[in-house]
Amino acid sequence: MKENERMKDVSNLEKHQEESWNRLKRDISSSAHTIHEIDAGRARGYSRALFVSSILNKVSTFANHGEVEIVRRAVDFISEYNARVRKPVITPRNKFFQLPELAERMRERLKAVQSRENKEVPFEGGTLVWNYGEDRLQILFDRIPEDNRRKELKSSGFRWSPRNKAWQRQLTSNALSAAKRVLNLQNI
């Protein structure tokens, strides 16, 4: 049964990656076409730099999440597009073409962080959890918190996760500061 579940997870991951790539490819293609139109003088009043920046930022997001395959596909797509047009959409010396190396480094860093063992700190009424595998700081309460506490959690960036049965947000130093403030914890 476990092998079946693992195969299903792999299939879902591949499907998700393919959907993500197709969305990104549509965005890149649209922006590249607009840049080409700007270069040809057919699209006036647009900022070429903003479209280039848009492509760079979208692909950088995938690089920062260690999505090496998607980043490589994006760089290959732009390289192929550049080969078909007179003026390159993104010049070869742009940091865009270094994103695959960044994605590799981020993947390694994320693997190292995710392999860390979770840290738990009990407090009166619950437990604070550093969930490295999920990249989340989680607050587990012994019972449902009062309405005003829930509002305070929400205003501090925490969201309820039914799947994890925890109040959580991305694991950052700001998340820890917010948790200390909300839970009135000083010595963590």
Side-chain angles (χ1 to χ4, degrees):
M1 185 72 166
K2 284 192 177 209
E3 181 64 25
N4 223 3
E5 290 175 17
R6 194 181 68 73
M7 294 298 287
K8 191 175 177 181
D9 287 346
V10 168
S11 174
N12 286 341
L13 177 64
E14 289 171 353
K15 182 179 175 185
H16 175 72
Q17 279 190 323
E18 196 59 32
E19 289 170 356
S20 295
W21 163 243
N22 287 329
R23 272 192 310 275
L24 180 63
K25 183 179 176 184
R26 269 192 313 275
D27 289 347
I28 292 172
S29 182
S30 174
S31 292
H33 177 73
T34 303
I35 292 168
H36 179 65
E37 292 295 303
I38 292 168
D39 292 344
R42 292 186 290 265
R44 299 188 190 282
Y46 292 102
S47 170
R48 183 184 203 285
L50 290 179
F51 283 94
V52 171
S53 180
S54 173
I55 294 171
L56 176 65
N57 290 338
K58 286 175 183 173
V59 178
S60 291
T61 299
F62 284 96
N64 289 329
H65 289 109
E67 298 281 350
V68 177
E69 295 78 15
I70 290 176
V71 172
R72 282 196 180 123
R73 288 171 90 171
V75 169
D76 290 345
F77 182 81
I78 288 294
S79 296
E80 291 166 11
Y81 196 95
N82 282 348
R84 295 191 314 258
V85 293
R86 185 179 299 164
K87 182 177 180 184
V89 172
I90 300 176
T91 60
R93 64 180 186 271
N94 189 298
K95 69 179 180 180
F96 174 82
F97 291 98
Q98 297 166 1
L99 289 177
E101 291 82 24
L102 172 65
E104 289 279 357
R105 288 192 307 270
M106 288 307 296
R107 175 180 276 176
E108 292 306 313
R109 188 177 302 157
L110 289 170
K111 279 183 186 176
V113 167
Q114 290 174 344
S115 67
R116 290 177 65 184
E117 192 171 319
N118 291 348
K119 176 181 170 186
E120 295 184 4
V121 174
F123 62 88
E124 188 175 329
T127 308
L128 185 60
V129 178
W130 284 254
N131 187 333
Y132 295 106
E134 298 274 336
D135 191 31
R136 296 287 179 261
L137 182 64
Q138 299 173 323
I139 303 173
L140 306 159
F141 290 101
D142 296 339
R143 49 190 133 77
I144 298 173
E146 300 288 325
D147 190 45
N148 60 346
R149 163 113 353 134
R150 290 196 307 264
K151 286 179 182 173
E152 189 177 9
L153 286 162
K154 288 178 186 179
S155 69
S156 297
F158 287 92
R159 297 291 174 257
W160 174 251
S161 168
R163 182 173 67 94
N164 294 320
K165 303 210 178 330
W167 287 90
Q168 64 183 24
R169 63 183 272 187
Q170 187 172 10
L171 184 54
T172 63
S173 58
N174 287 341
L176 182 56
S177 296
K180 285 178 174 180
R181 187 180 63 255
V182 169
L183 300 172
N184 197 23
L185 303 172
Q186 274 72 34
N187 303 332
I188 296 183

